[in-house]
Amino acid sequence: MTTPLMQAVKELALSAGPLIRDAFLEPDRPAYSLKGQQDYLTETDLAVEQFVREQITQRFPQDGVLGEEGGGLTDVERLWIVDPIDGTANFARNIAHFCISLGVMVQGQLEAGAIYDPMRDELFLAGRGQGAWLNGRRLQVSNISALNMASAEIGWSSRKPVDAYLNLVSRTMHTGCAVRRAGSGALGLAYVSAGRIECYAEQHINAWDVAAGLLLVTEAGGRINPFWANDGLRQGNAVLASNALLADSFSALTQISLA
Ligand code: IPD
């Protein structure tokens, strides 16, 4: 069943999609800037976040909004966690692999989430207890049970030391697991929920990158680490999301606990 909150998050993601897609296809797109090492920002991130904030405030004036670009975490009953463009580095460098990610948390628990890839027209939607869906089709994580048949995305940012990342990639590849890094944590999690890959792991990631994706993975029958522990909402955390059959193996490999 699509709950009213799932419907709202879906409509908002779909209405922001054309803003992102049209800006990406614009030949005279303004240059990007950097917030930090390999940490990209474009005018479109700011414009889309502004649009999303306005829509939420108009429709749900009591709700809070935590956005990647504008922050805004307040003590509210219902919080929208917004990444206007996840995969900004791809967007900025003309690679068509990015999305908008919207998660809605009620009293500290994720209730609904949507991830929309406007270039592939793929809408990933989840509601707590309502399943995970891709363009209306029910999603389930894969049933691959051997690491040497599996694919994992291991995300990277300059927030963690290079050697820690390389060690994790090396350990994973030595099991025979295929490793990728496609530059959008939200889409990586959505792909776990869709059974396209078995695992998404990253040694540190922010709440707006993962809020919707974590709900997608659990609703598709996968397992995740307790990301919200230790103030994950404000500080970010390590993330691990896996299909059910390989979750313990990926947890041992990444040293990210599922408990
Ligand atoms: C980044 C992407 C990337 C992940 C980084 C994130 P952004 O978010 O999700 O895949 O590895 O940790 O910061 O900057 O594209 O919104």
Side-chain angles (χ1 to χ4, degrees):
M1 194 186 86
T2 304
T3 63
L5 200 53
M6 287 168 75
Q7 186 62 30
V9 82
K10 169 182 165 176
E11 282 169 12
L12 187 49
L14 288 176
S15 64
L19 300 180
I20 305 171
R21 187 179 52 238
D22 293 352
F24 182 74
L25 296 173
E26 175 64 53
D28 297 323
R29 188 146 41 99
Y32 50 78
S33 59
L34 290 172
K35 295 185 277 184
Q37 194 202 333
Q38 297 289 344
D39 190 4
Y40 287 75
L41 177 67
T42 71
E43 281 182 8
T44 312
D45 293 80
L46 299 171
V48 173
E49 185 164 316
Q50 177 69 17
F51 169 80
V52 168
R53 279 179 190 277
E54 283 166 11
Q55 298 293 313
I56 296 169
T57 311
Q58 250 174 45
R59 241 182 117 175
F60 306 107
Q62 312 295 327
D63 291 5
V65 181
L66 169 65
E68 172 172 15
E69 311 307 340
L73 185 57
T74 47
D75 197 13
V76 283
E77 166 148 332
R78 195 159 77 178
L79 181 69
W80 293 66
I81 306 173
V82 177
D83 192 341
I85 303 179
D86 186 63
T88 303
N90 289 336
F91 179 91
R93 305 297 308 275
N94 284 312
I95 299 169
H97 186 74
F98 46 80
C99 61
I100 177 168
S101 173
L102 303 173
V104 190
M105 196 175 244
V106 181
Q107 292 181 338
Q109 189 163 44
L110 283 170
E111 281 295 327
I115 291 175
Y116 183 52
D117 172 346
M119 306 311 290
R120 298 184 180 92
D121 192 23
E122 288 191 327
L123 177 80
F124 298 87
L125 179 66
R128 190 167 67 86
Q130 307 300 329
W133 306 83
L134 166 55
N135 293 348
R137 185 170 55 81
R138 184 91 191 232
L139 294 177
Q140 215 177 351
V141 294
S142 85
N143 58 11
I144 287 179
S145 60
L147 283 174
N148 65 3
M149 295 291 291
S151 293
E153 176 160 3
I154 303 182
W156 173 84
S157 80
S158 61
R159 297 183 297 273
K160 284 286 172 185
V162 172
D163 285 345
Y165 179 77
L166 292 177
N167 285 338
L168 176 54
V169 169
S170 169
R171 288 198 303 277
T172 307
M173 292 188 75
H174 275 107
T175 66
C177 178
V179 172
R180 50 188 265 124
R181 176 184 171 260
S184 164
L187 284 179
L189 291 167
Y191 286 12
V192 174
S193 74
R196 294 176 180 175
I197 57 176
E198 280 59 57
C199 171
Y200 185 88
E202 185 162 345
Q203 287 153 326
H204 177 272
I205 197 161
N206 288 306
W208 41 82
D209 300 313
V210 298
L214 290 173
L215 187 61
L216 274 156
V217 171
T218 52
E219 287 296 322
R223 290 178 66 195
I224 58 171
N225 69 313
F227 178 85
W228 306 105
N230 302 320
D231 207 17
L233 187 59
R234 282 172 191 76
Q235 312 292 330
N237 211 339
V239 69
L240 173 65
S242 171
N243 75 350
L245 297 177
L246 284 170
D248 289 325
S249 305
F250 278 120
S251 175
L253 200 54
T254 57
Q255 293 159 4
I256 300 172
S257 168
L258 291 163

